[in-house]
Amino acid sequence: MIDIIGLSFGYKEQMVLNDISFEAKPGEITAIIGANGIGKSTLLKNVCGLLEGDGTIKICGKPLREYRPSELSSQVSYLSQDTVSHALLTVFEIVLLGRIERLSQRISDEDIQAVDAVLHRLGIESFAFRYIGELSGGQRQLVFIAQALIRNPQVLVMDEPTSNLDLNYQFQIMELIKKLTVTEGLTTLITLHQLELAARFAEKIIVLDGGRVYGSGTPSEVLTRAMLREVYRMDVEIVNSAGAIHIVPICRHVS
Amino acid sequence: MIKTNTLAKDYQERSRKRLTKLTVGLLICSVGLIADILIGPSWLTIQETFTALFKPEEVETAVRVIVWTFRFPATLMALGVGAALGIAGAVMQTILDNPLASPYTLGISAGAGFGAALAIVFGSMVTTAFGPYLVPTCAFLFAMLTSFVIYLLGKLKGLSPATMVLSGIGLSFLFQALQSLLQYISTPEVLQNIVFWLFGSLTKSNWFTVTLIYIVLLVVIPAIMADSWRLTALKLGDEKARGLGINVERLRVKMFILVSILTSAAVAFVGIIGFIGLVGPHVARMLVGEDQRFFVPLSAVFGAALLSFASIGSKVVSPGAILPIGIVTALIGVPFYFSLILRGKRGWL
């Protein structure tokens, strides 16, 4: 459970987030959408304690400020947007780093079993000993999801996990996140640019505009022509077909 | 369970291979150690040298002095300084996320060079309690000062690795210019002393300086290895490391202090030796990747082996004399380095 109450944050004098409040529930995906540079990533970093703004953020009922860093990182797994890595580290080593608090110079059988279990769960055991730099974008994303999962978090925070992925991987990753969120009872907070993915997989969507919450609710409540016109400056047609929402751009709205 | 066993087996196999590489590295160091003691300008026979080593009372005083006062400390110094520079380069490359970082490229060696030159030029004018240790002390202090300035400049930009690397390069130019200025105003005799120091030399080693460098290694290595997993996590980038609960700034400062001490101690006693801090870690990276549990020790081992063989080279190239080690290191190191670059399969090795 994440509770955000009156969060404001700025870089130097430039305010990015203004009085943001919403909650994200366990077992649900809460998607944050909005135009580029509107503060989506900044909001996520505040939730993970990587940035500190004014206001209150509660994770599992406890204010963020009362968490010790190691305690917070074991409750909240954060996947940044950037999965490109030039480190000469294998998939095994990167996933193992998820257990960093427990690792000693010698890797225990328990550590190996934990890595093995999570690699199998994500179906990436075949490249356990390949270097991360040799993998495709989608495979790298899976590796960092594995690193997040091995920490057994309560909260999963992901910054655009589907960016730079092909259509197939976009769905594979989102289906996996959905499954994990439901079966593990995770509170998943995610930023997305692909609105149709948000509509399909998220229970709740928060729309950010001008540093404030423009609106929040279920996908069908939030994804409206008016919202897309005001927030994205786009005229669109919204089509409901076979239970899915499709957004068909008509033209750029210039005002 | 069967699959788990497979992964465990694969992991153990990989660990075994890495340990084998470490063992081979140590064996190369041992060969270097023995060959370095056996070879010297005074043409002692192998038997004489071994007798002097294991039964010193059975050889003439001159032989005993050559082996125990000159050769043995210089040999151990080569290994100790090589290991120190190898580790320093490895850790700097990790915390600054830059494969070009090394004590030499970051200007710490240039700082030491200026400190030494300052002591050589003005040392004779002041009465000092340091005696023969004035030059290394000054070199040590200026090397530490250089590190401190790099840290301060980096601190202004939130300890950004790029700022620290660029500051180091800037300081390198500054200290080289100041050192040239000192050379320009010195008398020919003093100039000769400065130039000789700058070339780098193991011949000034004695048991006191050898003991000091090994004490520094004994203190610093465990302190670095205790954070080996955190250092490995840092390779994923600051943000990911923070997400794993690591205090990145504290880790970077701690490691920078440790490698500054290591580098300053190494260059203070033997002068400027470039390359080891660059090549040692590159060899290690090629062999074991960047899991710092293996990367740091292997960088030490290959740094030590490289300096040890450079020391042998310095005595073989011109029989009856010893070439300055700094020159030989580059002469041997550069072709070796080029071959590594050309053979590397993954970008920068």
Side-chain angles (χ1 to χ4, degrees):
Chain A
M1 171 78 106
I2 304 170
D3 268 314
I4 300 178
I5 308 150
L7 174 69
S8 296
F9 179 87
Y11 294 103
K12 294 183 183 164
E13 277 109 58
Q14 175 82 35
M15 284 310 282
V16 179
L17 303 174
N18 267 311
D19 197 22
I20 305 279
S21 297
F22 66 86
E23 62 168 32
K25 290 179 185 161
E28 288 186 0
I29 293 179
T30 303
I32 299 167
I33 62 169
N36 275 333
I38 210 73
K40 300 188 294 295
S41 301
T42 304
L43 173 58
L44 292 196
K45 285 178 189 170
N46 271 274
V47 172
C48 306
L50 295 175
L51 296 173
E52 195 179 336
D54 297 326
T56 306
I57 298 173
K58 288 182 183 171
I59 305 283
C60 304
K62 184 172 162 182
L64 206 62
R65 291 189 184 92
E66 291 176 18
Y67 277 94
R68 284 178 287 111
S70 58
E71 190 191 357
L72 182 65
S73 68
S74 65
Q75 293 268 335
V76 181
S77 271
Y78 169 63
L79 271 86
S80 62
Q81 208 169 335
D82 175 29
T83 60
V84 179
S85 177
H86 59 256
L88 282 183
L89 293 173
T90 62
V91 170
F92 179 88
E93 286 157 353
I94 289 174
V95 177
L96 195 62
L97 282 171
R99 289 169 64 90
I100 193 159
E101 295 90 359
R102 295 174 229 191
L103 295 178
S104 61
Q105 293 291 320
R106 198 179 172 80
I107 303 301
S108 69
D109 290 345
E110 198 190 333
D111 292 324
I112 296 174
Q113 275 170 20
V115 174
D116 188 58
V118 77
L119 291 182
H120 271 90
R121 199 151 143 213
L122 269 60
I124 53 173
E125 70 281 4
S126 59
F127 42 84
F129 292 108
R130 280 176 64 188
Y131 284 116
I132 185 80
E134 297 169 358
L135 305 181
S136 71
Q139 290 170 329
R140 283 201 299 267
Q141 192 63 264
L142 287 172
V143 172
F144 286 105
I145 292 176
Q147 190 194 57
L149 288 183
I150 205 172
R151 300 174 71 73
N152 294 321
Q154 301 287 313
V155 173
L156 195 57
V157 177
M158 307 177 88
D159 197 0
E160 291 182 33
T162 55
S163 61
N164 304 320
L165 299 185
D166 66 32
L167 194 62
N168 189 295
Y169 256 121
Q170 286 178 16
F171 270 76
Q172 189 185 329
I173 298 280
M174 285 309 299
E175 278 166 0
L176 176 72
I177 294 168
K178 180 81 181 175
K179 190 172 141 197
L180 293 168
T181 301
V182 174
T183 55
E184 309 281 320
L186 298 175
T187 306
T188 301
L189 189 62
I190 189 168
T191 60
L192 282 173
H193 271 306
Q194 296 94 332
L195 302 183
E196 290 177 359
L197 283 182
R200 192 178 184 108
F201 291 101
E203 276 76 16
K204 184 177 180 180
I205 295 179
I206 312 285
V207 186
L208 284 192
D209 189 36
R212 295 177 183 277
V213 175
Y214 172 91
S216 67
T218 62
S220 55
E221 286 168 355
V222 169
L223 295 174
T224 61
R225 288 186 68 183
M227 185 280 282
L228 284 152
R229 195 178 167 88
E230 284 182 41
V231 174
Y232 287 91
R233 311 277 183 268
M234 287 290 291
D235 279 329
V236 300
E237 201 64 60
I238 294 181
V239 181
N240 278 290
S241 162
I245 295 174
H246 300 282
I247 296 164
V248 185
I250 298 170
C251 68
R252 266 185 73 223
H253 176 81
V254 182
S255 61
Chain B
M1 189 48 82
I2 291 167
K3 283 175 181 170
T4 302
N5 285 340
T6 312
L7 189 82
K9 230 184 257 172
D10 286 350
Y11 173 73
Q12 275 148 14
E13 181 60 29
R14 281 179 67 83
S15 296
R16 229 190 331 269
K17 275 186 189 162
R18 286 171 163 182
L19 284 174
T20 308
K21 288 169 185 169
L22 198 60
T23 313
V24 169
L26 286 169
L27 281 175
I28 295 172
C29 284
S30 310
V31 172
L33 173 87
I34 294 165
D36 204 10
I37 292 183
L38 291 178
I39 298 167
S42 47
W43 299 111
L44 300 182
T45 63
I46 293 175
Q47 197 185 347
E48 268 178 320
T49 312
F50 275 122
T51 313
L53 273 177
F54 298 108
K55 292 177 184 169
E57 66 285 352
E58 289 181 15
V59 293
E60 290 172 28
T61 312
V63 174
R64 194 161 60 234
V65 168
I66 288 168
V67 172
W68 280 93
T69 309
F70 296 106
R71 287 193 190 177
F72 204 4
T75 300
L76 292 178
M77 196 60 149
L79 290 169
V81 167
L85 293 175
I87 295 172
V91 175
M92 280 178 184
Q93 287 172 22
T94 297
I95 60 171
L96 299 178
D97 193 28
N98 191 319
L100 294 177
S102 79
Y104 191 77
T105 48
L106 284 190
I108 300 175
S109 299
F114 173 68
L118 206 61
I120 294 167
V121 172
F122 297 108
S124 55
M125 299 178 193
V126 289
T127 317
T128 167
F130 289 100
Y133 297 110
L134 177 66
V135 174
T137 305
C138 234
F140 180 86
L141 292 176
F142 271 85
M144 287 298 287
L145 177 74
T146 313
S147 297
F148 187 61
V149 176
I150 294 172
Y151 166 73
L152 281 184
L153 290 170
K155 183 84 183 159
L156 293 174
K157 286 271 187 181
L159 286 181
S160 118
T163 310
M164 292 173 82
V165 171
L166 292 173
S167 306
I169 292 170
L171 286 173
S172 175
F173 282 110
L174 173 71
F175 282 119
Q176 274 169 18
L178 289 173
Q179 176 201 299
S180 299
L181 180 69
L182 284 178
Q183 286 175 283
Y184 183 71
I185 60 167
S186 1
T187 60
E189 295 76 29
V190 171
L191 178 65
Q192 198 181 358
N193 282 338
I194 295 175
V195 170
F196 188 72
W197 193 91
L198 294 176
F199 282 160
S201 171
L202 294 164
T203 54
K204 287 167 288 186
S205 311
N206 59 43
W207 286 107
F208 175 66
T209 57
V210 167
T211 309
L212 274 183
I213 194 82
Y214 278 90
I215 287 174
V216 171
L217 280 169
L218 277 176
V219 173
V220 170
I221 291 176
I224 291 174
M225 292 312 290
D227 277 325
S228 56
W229 279 114
R230 284 184 202 89
L231 281 171
T232 307
L234 202 57
K235 284 302 304 174
L236 297 176
D238 286 13
E239 204 170 83
K240 286 202 166 57
R242 279 195 197 101
L244 290 169
I246 295 167
N247 186 332
V248 170
E249 282 72 25
R250 195 194 295 163
L251 178 66
R252 194 167 273 137
V253 170
K254 178 186 168 189
M255 287 300 142
F256 196 68
I257 292 171
L258 289 172
V259 293
S260 297
I261 295 170
L262 206 54
T263 306
S264 306
V267 293
F269 294 128
V270 298
I272 293 182
I273 296 174
F275 244 74
I276 304 284
L278 201 61
V279 178
H282 278 258
V283 177
R285 186 178 288 116
M286 269 180 74
L287 292 173
V288 294
E290 291 178 309
D291 176 344
Q292 309 281 315
R293 294 175 303 148
F294 296 95
F295 174 58
V296 173
L298 216 67
S299 299
V301 166
F302 279 97
L306 209 64
L307 197 54
S308 184
F309 278 89
S311 166
I312 296 165
S314 72
K315 293 184 266 191
V316 173
V317 172
S318 86
I322 300 177
L323 276 182
I325 189 82
I327 297 175
V328 182
T329 309
L331 287 179
I332 293 179
V334 172
F336 178 58
Y337 185 58
F338 283 163
S339 75
L340 287 183
I341 294 172
L342 295 175
R343 283 172 56 202
K345 288 175 193 159
R346 301 182 203 98
W348 42 271
L349 304 180

